[in-house]
mmCIF file with all atom_site columns, all heavy atoms in Angstrom:
data_model
loop_
_atom_site.group_PDB
_atom_site.id
_atom_site.type_symbol
_atom_site.label_atom_id
_atom_site.label_alt_id
_atom_site.label_comp_id
_atom_site.label_asym_id
_atom_site.label_entity_id
_atom_site.label_seq_id
_atom_site.pdbx_PDB_ins_code
_atom_site.Cartn_x
_atom_site.Cartn_y
_atom_site.Cartn_z
_atom_site.occupancy
_atom_site.B_iso_or_equiv
_atom_site.pdbx_formal_charge
_atom_site.auth_seq_id
_atom_site.auth_comp_id
_atom_site.auth_asym_id
_atom_site.auth_atom_id
_atom_site.pdbx_PDB_model_num
ATOM 1   N N   . THR A 1 487 ? -5.323  -25.945 1.616   1.00 0.00 ? 487 THR A N   1
ATOM 2   C CA  . THR A 1 487 ? -4.439  -24.801 1.878   1.00 0.00 ? 487 THR A CA  1
ATOM 3   C C   . THR A 1 487 ? -2.968  -25.243 1.749   1.00 0.00 ? 487 THR A C   1
ATOM 4   O O   . THR A 1 487 ? -2.571  -26.295 2.200   1.00 0.00 ? 487 THR A O   1
ATOM 5   C CB  . THR A 1 487 ? -4.633  -24.251 3.297   1.00 0.00 ? 487 THR A CB  1
ATOM 6   O OG1 . THR A 1 487 ? -5.947  -23.791 3.447   1.00 0.00 ? 487 THR A OG1 1
ATOM 7   C CG2 . THR A 1 487 ? -3.648  -23.111 3.600   1.00 0.00 ? 487 THR A CG2 1
ATOM 8   N N   . GLY A 1 488 ? -2.196  -24.447 0.990   1.00 0.00 ? 488 GLY A N   1
ATOM 9   C CA  . GLY A 1 488 ? -0.770  -24.805 0.764   1.00 0.00 ? 488 GLY A CA  1
ATOM 10  C C   . GLY A 1 488 ? -0.114  -23.809 -0.155  1.00 0.00 ? 488 GLY A C   1
ATOM 11  O O   . GLY A 1 488 ? -0.664  -22.787 -0.469  1.00 0.00 ? 488 GLY A O   1
ATOM 12  N N   . MET A 1 489 ? 1.098   -24.177 -0.601  1.00 0.00 ? 489 MET A N   1
ATOM 13  C CA  . MET A 1 489 ? 1.851   -23.317 -1.403  1.00 0.00 ? 489 MET A CA  1
ATOM 14  C C   . MET A 1 489 ? 1.565   -23.516 -2.949  1.00 0.00 ? 489 MET A C   1
ATOM 15  O O   . MET A 1 489 ? 1.165   -24.595 -3.344  1.00 0.00 ? 489 MET A O   1
ATOM 16  C CB  . MET A 1 489 ? 3.356   -23.476 -1.188  1.00 0.00 ? 489 MET A CB  1
ATOM 17  C CG  . MET A 1 489 ? 3.823   -23.148 0.181   1.00 0.00 ? 489 MET A CG  1
ATOM 18  S SD  . MET A 1 489 ? 5.624   -22.979 0.310   1.00 0.00 ? 489 MET A SD  1
ATOM 19  C CE  . MET A 1 489 ? 6.150   -24.553 -0.327  1.00 0.00 ? 489 MET A CE  1
ATOM 20  N N   . TYR A 1 490 ? 1.778   -22.458 -3.710  1.00 0.00 ? 490 TYR A N   1
ATOM 21  C CA  . TYR A 1 490 ? 1.645   -22.546 -5.169  1.00 0.00 ? 490 TYR A CA  1
ATOM 22  C C   . TYR A 1 490 ? 2.548   -21.503 -5.834  1.00 0.00 ? 490 TYR A C   1
ATOM 23  O O   . TYR A 1 490 ? 2.854   -20.493 -5.234  1.00 0.00 ? 490 TYR A O   1
ATOM 24  C CB  . TYR A 1 490 ? 0.174   -22.339 -5.549  1.00 0.00 ? 490 TYR A CB  1
ATOM 25  C CG  . TYR A 1 490 ? -0.365  -20.979 -5.167  1.00 0.00 ? 490 TYR A CG  1
ATOM 26  C CD1 . TYR A 1 490 ? -0.250  -19.858 -6.022  1.00 0.00 ? 490 TYR A CD1 1
ATOM 27  C CD2 . TYR A 1 490 ? -0.920  -20.784 -3.911  1.00 0.00 ? 490 TYR A CD2 1
ATOM 28  C CE1 . TYR A 1 490 ? -0.721  -18.640 -5.636  1.00 0.00 ? 490 TYR A CE1 1
ATOM 29  C CE2 . TYR A 1 490 ? -1.393  -19.571 -3.534  1.00 0.00 ? 490 TYR A CE2 1
ATOM 30  C CZ  . TYR A 1 490 ? -1.304  -18.463 -4.412  1.00 0.00 ? 490 TYR A CZ  1
ATOM 31  O OH  . TYR A 1 490 ? -1.723  -17.261 -4.000  1.00 0.00 ? 490 TYR A OH  1
ATOM 32  N N   . PRO A 1 491 ? 2.961   -21.717 -7.066  1.00 0.00 ? 491 PRO A N   1
ATOM 33  C CA  . PRO A 1 491 ? 3.794   -20.730 -7.780  1.00 0.00 ? 491 PRO A CA  1
ATOM 34  C C   . PRO A 1 491 ? 3.014   -19.467 -8.050  1.00 0.00 ? 491 PRO A C   1
ATOM 35  O O   . PRO A 1 491 ? 1.913   -19.505 -8.559  1.00 0.00 ? 491 PRO A O   1
ATOM 36  C CB  . PRO A 1 491 ? 4.194   -21.448 -9.075  1.00 0.00 ? 491 PRO A CB  1
ATOM 37  C CG  . PRO A 1 491 ? 3.915   -22.896 -8.814  1.00 0.00 ? 491 PRO A CG  1
ATOM 38  C CD  . PRO A 1 491 ? 2.760   -22.917 -7.862  1.00 0.00 ? 491 PRO A CD  1
ATOM 39  N N   . SER A 1 492 ? 3.653   -18.296 -7.709  1.00 0.00 ? 492 SER A N   1
ATOM 40  C CA  . SER A 1 492 ? 2.920   -17.035 -7.822  1.00 0.00 ? 492 SER A CA  1
ATOM 41  C C   . SER A 1 492 ? 2.579   -16.683 -9.247  1.00 0.00 ? 492 SER A C   1
ATOM 42  O O   . SER A 1 492 ? 1.552   -15.984 -9.457  1.00 0.00 ? 492 SER A O   1
ATOM 43  C CB  . SER A 1 492 ? 3.820   -15.949 -7.221  1.00 0.00 ? 492 SER A CB  1
ATOM 44  O OG  . SER A 1 492 ? 5.038   -15.863 -7.920  1.00 0.00 ? 492 SER A OG  1
ATOM 45  N N   . TYR A 1 493 ? 3.318   -17.148 -10.225 1.00 0.00 ? 493 TYR A N   1
ATOM 46  C CA  . TYR A 1 493 ? 3.077   -16.712 -11.606 1.00 0.00 ? 493 TYR A CA  1
ATOM 47  C C   . TYR A 1 493 ? 1.879   -17.426 -12.255 1.00 0.00 ? 493 TYR A C   1
ATOM 48  O O   . TYR A 1 493 ? 1.468   -17.058 -13.390 1.00 0.00 ? 493 TYR A O   1
ATOM 49  C CB  . TYR A 1 493 ? 4.342   -16.952 -12.489 1.00 0.00 ? 493 TYR A CB  1
ATOM 50  C CG  . TYR A 1 493 ? 4.688   -18.418 -12.735 1.00 0.00 ? 493 TYR A CG  1
ATOM 51  C CD1 . TYR A 1 493 ? 4.215   -19.003 -13.940 1.00 0.00 ? 493 TYR A CD1 1
ATOM 52  C CD2 . TYR A 1 493 ? 5.491   -19.145 -11.894 1.00 0.00 ? 493 TYR A CD2 1
ATOM 53  C CE1 . TYR A 1 493 ? 4.552   -20.352 -14.196 1.00 0.00 ? 493 TYR A CE1 1
ATOM 54  C CE2 . TYR A 1 493 ? 5.748   -20.423 -12.129 1.00 0.00 ? 493 TYR A CE2 1
ATOM 55  C CZ  . TYR A 1 493 ? 5.328   -21.061 -13.294 1.00 0.00 ? 493 TYR A CZ  1
ATOM 56  O OH  . TYR A 1 493 ? 5.677   -22.353 -13.527 1.00 0.00 ? 493 TYR A OH  1
ATOM 57  N N   . LYS A 1 494 ? 1.307   -18.379 -11.540 1.00 0.00 ? 494 LYS A N   1
ATOM 58  C CA  . LYS A 1 494 ? 0.171   -19.120 -12.092 1.00 0.00 ? 494 LYS A CA  1
ATOM 59  C C   . LYS A 1 494 ? -1.193  -18.516 -11.738 1.00 0.00 ? 494 LYS A C   1
ATOM 60  O O   . LYS A 1 494 ? -2.229  -19.157 -11.975 1.00 0.00 ? 494 LYS A O   1
ATOM 61  C CB  . LYS A 1 494 ? 0.258   -20.583 -11.688 1.00 0.00 ? 494 LYS A CB  1
ATOM 62  C CG  . LYS A 1 494 ? 1.480   -21.289 -12.315 1.00 0.00 ? 494 LYS A CG  1
ATOM 63  C CD  . LYS A 1 494 ? 1.470   -22.788 -12.124 1.00 0.00 ? 494 LYS A CD  1
ATOM 64  C CE  . LYS A 1 494 ? 2.670   -23.416 -12.809 1.00 0.00 ? 494 LYS A CE  1
ATOM 65  N NZ  . LYS A 1 494 ? 2.637   -24.935 -12.719 1.00 0.00 ? 494 LYS A NZ  1
ATOM 66  N N   . VAL A 1 495 ? -1.202  -17.345 -11.074 1.00 0.00 ? 495 VAL A N   1
ATOM 67  C CA  . VAL A 1 495 ? -2.472  -16.728 -10.700 1.00 0.00 ? 495 VAL A CA  1
ATOM 68  C C   . VAL A 1 495 ? -2.413  -15.247 -11.051 1.00 0.00 ? 495 VAL A C   1
ATOM 69  O O   . VAL A 1 495 ? -1.328  -14.699 -11.214 1.00 0.00 ? 495 VAL A O   1
ATOM 70  C CB  . VAL A 1 495 ? -2.733  -16.860 -9.208  1.00 0.00 ? 495 VAL A CB  1
ATOM 71  C CG1 . VAL A 1 495 ? -2.754  -18.312 -8.830  1.00 0.00 ? 495 VAL A CG1 1
ATOM 72  C CG2 . VAL A 1 495 ? -1.740  -16.150 -8.372  1.00 0.00 ? 495 VAL A CG2 1
ATOM 73  N N   . GLU A 1 496 ? -3.545  -14.624 -11.168 1.00 0.00 ? 496 GLU A N   1
ATOM 74  C CA  . GLU A 1 496 ? -3.698  -13.217 -11.412 1.00 0.00 ? 496 GLU A CA  1
ATOM 75  C C   . GLU A 1 496 ? -4.749  -12.623 -10.465 1.00 0.00 ? 496 GLU A C   1
ATOM 76  O O   . GLU A 1 496 ? -5.640  -13.327 -10.026 1.00 0.00 ? 496 GLU A O   1
ATOM 77  C CB  . GLU A 1 496 ? -4.031  -12.912 -12.889 1.00 0.00 ? 496 GLU A CB  1
ATOM 78  C CG  . GLU A 1 496 ? -2.886  -13.285 -13.868 1.00 0.00 ? 496 GLU A CG  1
ATOM 79  C CD  . GLU A 1 496 ? -1.615  -12.419 -13.698 1.00 0.00 ? 496 GLU A CD  1
ATOM 80  O OE1 . GLU A 1 496 ? -1.692  -11.390 -12.964 1.00 0.00 ? 496 GLU A OE1 1
ATOM 81  O OE2 . GLU A 1 496 ? -0.581  -12.777 -14.272 1.00 0.00 ? 496 GLU A OE2 1
ATOM 82  N N   . ASN A 1 497 ? -4.744  -11.268 -10.327 1.00 0.00 ? 497 ASN A N   1
ATOM 83  C CA  . ASN A 1 497 ? -5.697  -10.624 -9.472  1.00 0.00 ? 497 ASN A CA  1
ATOM 84  C C   . ASN A 1 497 ? -7.136  -10.721 -9.985  1.00 0.00 ? 497 ASN A C   1
ATOM 85  O O   . ASN A 1 497 ? -7.352  -10.771 -11.192 1.00 0.00 ? 497 ASN A O   1
ATOM 86  C CB  . ASN A 1 497 ? -5.333  -9.141  -9.331  1.00 0.00 ? 497 ASN A CB  1
ATOM 87  C CG  . ASN A 1 497 ? -4.012  -8.922  -8.577  1.00 0.00 ? 497 ASN A CG  1
ATOM 88  O OD1 . ASN A 1 497 ? -3.452  -9.863  -8.034  1.00 0.00 ? 497 ASN A OD1 1
ATOM 89  N ND2 . ASN A 1 497 ? -3.523  -7.689  -8.614  1.00 0.00 ? 497 ASN A ND2 1
ATOM 90  N N   . LEU A 1 498 ? -8.036  -10.692 -9.040  1.00 0.00 ? 498 LEU A N   1
ATOM 91  C CA  . LEU A 1 498 ? -9.473  -10.586 -9.369  1.00 0.00 ? 498 LEU A CA  1
ATOM 92  C C   . LEU A 1 498 ? -9.979  -9.256  -8.902  1.00 0.00 ? 498 LEU A C   1
ATOM 93  O O   . LEU A 1 498 ? -9.480  -8.662  -7.987  1.00 0.00 ? 498 LEU A O   1
ATOM 94  C CB  . LEU A 1 498 ? -10.274 -11.699 -8.686  1.00 0.00 ? 498 LEU A CB  1
ATOM 95  C CG  . LEU A 1 498 ? -10.309 -13.054 -9.407  1.00 0.00 ? 498 LEU A CG  1
ATOM 96  C CD1 . LEU A 1 498 ? -10.975 -14.126 -8.521  1.00 0.00 ? 498 LEU A CD1 1
ATOM 97  C CD2 . LEU A 1 498 ? -11.040 -12.975 -10.743 1.00 0.00 ? 498 LEU A CD2 1
ATOM 98  N N   . ARG A 1 499 ? -11.063 -8.793  -9.528  1.00 0.00 ? 499 ARG A N   1
ATOM 99  C CA  . ARG A 1 499 ? -11.698 -7.519  -9.196  1.00 0.00 ? 499 ARG A CA  1
ATOM 100 C C   . ARG A 1 499 ? -12.299 -7.591  -7.789  1.00 0.00 ? 499 ARG A C   1
ATOM 101 O O   . ARG A 1 499 ? -12.988 -8.565  -7.452  1.00 0.00 ? 499 ARG A O   1
ATOM 102 C CB  . ARG A 1 499 ? -12.769 -7.243  -10.277 1.00 0.00 ? 499 ARG A CB  1
ATOM 103 C CG  . ARG A 1 499 ? -13.464 -5.950  -10.128 1.00 0.00 ? 499 ARG A CG  1
ATOM 104 C CD  . ARG A 1 499 ? -14.629 -5.982  -11.085 1.00 0.00 ? 499 ARG A CD  1
ATOM 105 N NE  . ARG A 1 499 ? -15.280 -4.655  -11.180 1.00 0.00 ? 499 ARG A NE  1
ATOM 106 C CZ  . ARG A 1 499 ? -14.965 -3.771  -12.094 1.00 0.00 ? 499 ARG A CZ  1
ATOM 107 N NH1 . ARG A 1 499 ? -14.065 -4.003  -12.979 1.00 0.00 ? 499 ARG A NH1 1
ATOM 108 N NH2 . ARG A 1 499 ? -15.632 -2.609  -12.075 1.00 0.00 ? 499 ARG A NH2 1
ATOM 109 N N   . SER A 1 500 ? -12.009 -6.592  -6.962  1.00 0.00 ? 500 SER A N   1
ATOM 110 C CA  . SER A 1 500 ? -12.533 -6.553  -5.590  1.00 0.00 ? 500 SER A CA  1
ATOM 111 C C   . SER A 1 500 ? -13.164 -5.195  -5.319  1.00 0.00 ? 500 SER A C   1
ATOM 112 O O   . SER A 1 500 ? -12.417 -4.262  -5.111  1.00 0.00 ? 500 SER A O   1
ATOM 113 C CB  . SER A 1 500 ? -11.429 -6.844  -4.569  1.00 0.00 ? 500 SER A CB  1
ATOM 114 O OG  . SER A 1 500 ? -10.873 -8.176  -4.783  1.00 0.00 ? 500 SER A OG  1
ATOM 115 N N   . THR A 1 501 ? -14.421 -5.116  -5.357  1.00 0.00 ? 501 THR A N   1
ATOM 116 C CA  . THR A 1 501 ? -15.129 -3.791  -5.256  1.00 0.00 ? 501 THR A CA  1
ATOM 117 C C   . THR A 1 501 ? -16.330 -3.837  -4.290  1.00 0.00 ? 501 THR A C   1
ATOM 118 O O   . THR A 1 501 ? -16.787 -4.872  -3.889  1.00 0.00 ? 501 THR A O   1
ATOM 119 C CB  . THR A 1 501 ? -15.616 -3.325  -6.583  1.00 0.00 ? 501 THR A CB  1
ATOM 120 O OG1 . THR A 1 501 ? -16.598 -4.196  -7.105  1.00 0.00 ? 501 THR A OG1 1
ATOM 121 C CG2 . THR A 1 501 ? -14.477 -3.230  -7.657  1.00 0.00 ? 501 THR A CG2 1
ATOM 122 N N   . PHE A 1 502 ? -16.812 -2.650  -3.920  1.00 0.00 ? 502 PHE A N   1
ATOM 123 C CA  . PHE A 1 502 ? -18.070 -2.499  -3.220  1.00 0.00 ? 502 PHE A CA  1
ATOM 124 C C   . PHE A 1 502 ? -18.828 -1.307  -3.762  1.00 0.00 ? 502 PHE A C   1
ATOM 125 O O   . PHE A 1 502 ? -18.282 -0.465  -4.438  1.00 0.00 ? 502 PHE A O   1
ATOM 126 C CB  . PHE A 1 502 ? -17.821 -2.315  -1.712  1.00 0.00 ? 502 PHE A CB  1
ATOM 127 C CG  . PHE A 1 502 ? -17.121 -0.980  -1.327  1.00 0.00 ? 502 PHE A CG  1
ATOM 128 C CD1 . PHE A 1 502 ? -17.939 0.155   -1.178  1.00 0.00 ? 502 PHE A CD1 1
ATOM 129 C CD2 . PHE A 1 502 ? -15.751 -0.912  -1.116  1.00 0.00 ? 502 PHE A CD2 1
ATOM 130 C CE1 . PHE A 1 502 ? -17.311 1.375   -0.785  1.00 0.00 ? 502 PHE A CE1 1
ATOM 131 C CE2 . PHE A 1 502 ? -15.190 0.243   -0.772  1.00 0.00 ? 502 PHE A CE2 1
ATOM 132 C CZ  . PHE A 1 502 ? -15.932 1.420   -0.570  1.00 0.00 ? 502 PHE A CZ  1
ATOM 133 N N   . LYS A 1 503 ? -20.128 -1.216  -3.480  1.00 0.00 ? 503 LYS A N   1
ATOM 134 C CA  . LYS A 1 503 ? -20.965 -0.130  -3.888  1.00 0.00 ? 503 LYS A CA  1
ATOM 135 C C   . LYS A 1 503 ? -21.275 0.750   -2.706  1.00 0.00 ? 503 LYS A C   1
ATOM 136 O O   . LYS A 1 503 ? -21.514 0.249   -1.610  1.00 0.00 ? 503 LYS A O   1
ATOM 137 C CB  . LYS A 1 503 ? -22.274 -0.624  -4.551  1.00 0.00 ? 503 LYS A CB  1
ATOM 138 C CG  . LYS A 1 503 ? -22.083 -1.293  -5.883  1.00 0.00 ? 503 LYS A CG  1
ATOM 139 C CD  . LYS A 1 503 ? -23.423 -1.691  -6.494  1.00 0.00 ? 503 LYS A CD  1
ATOM 140 C CE  . LYS A 1 503 ? -23.271 -2.330  -7.847  1.00 0.00 ? 503 LYS A CE  1
ATOM 141 N NZ  . LYS A 1 503 ? -24.603 -2.676  -8.451  1.00 0.00 ? 503 LYS A NZ  1
ATOM 142 N N   . TYR A 1 504 ? -21.349 2.054   -2.960  1.00 0.00 ? 504 TYR A N   1
ATOM 143 C CA  . TYR A 1 504 ? -21.825 2.928   -1.915  1.00 0.00 ? 504 TYR A CA  1
ATOM 144 C C   . TYR A 1 504 ? -23.272 2.603   -1.564  1.00 0.00 ? 504 TYR A C   1
ATOM 145 O O   . TYR A 1 504 ? -24.070 2.266   -2.435  1.00 0.00 ? 504 TYR A O   1
ATOM 146 C CB  . TYR A 1 504 ? -21.751 4.409   -2.347  1.00 0.00 ? 504 TYR A CB  1
ATOM 147 C CG  . TYR A 1 504 ? -20.372 4.986   -2.431  1.00 0.00 ? 504 TYR A CG  1
ATOM 148 C CD1 . TYR A 1 504 ? -20.199 6.262   -2.959  1.00 0.00 ? 504 TYR A CD1 1
ATOM 149 C CD2 . TYR A 1 504 ? -19.260 4.324   -1.955  1.00 0.00 ? 504 TYR A CD2 1
ATOM 150 C CE1 . TYR A 1 504 ? -18.912 6.869   -3.038  1.00 0.00 ? 504 TYR A CE1 1
ATOM 151 C CE2 . TYR A 1 504 ? -17.999 4.926   -2.050  1.00 0.00 ? 504 TYR A CE2 1
ATOM 152 C CZ  . TYR A 1 504 ? -17.854 6.148   -2.561  1.00 0.00 ? 504 TYR A CZ  1
ATOM 153 O OH  . TYR A 1 504 ? -16.577 6.736   -2.627  1.00 0.00 ? 504 TYR A OH  1
#
Side-chain angles (χ1 to χ4, degrees):
T487 298
M489 297 195 306
Y490 60 90
S492 59
Y493 70 94
K494 295 189 176 183
V495 302
E496 293 294 349
N497 294 349
L498 277 173
R499 183 189 188 94
S500 300
T501 63
F502 68 85
K503 290 183 179 181
Y504 287 174

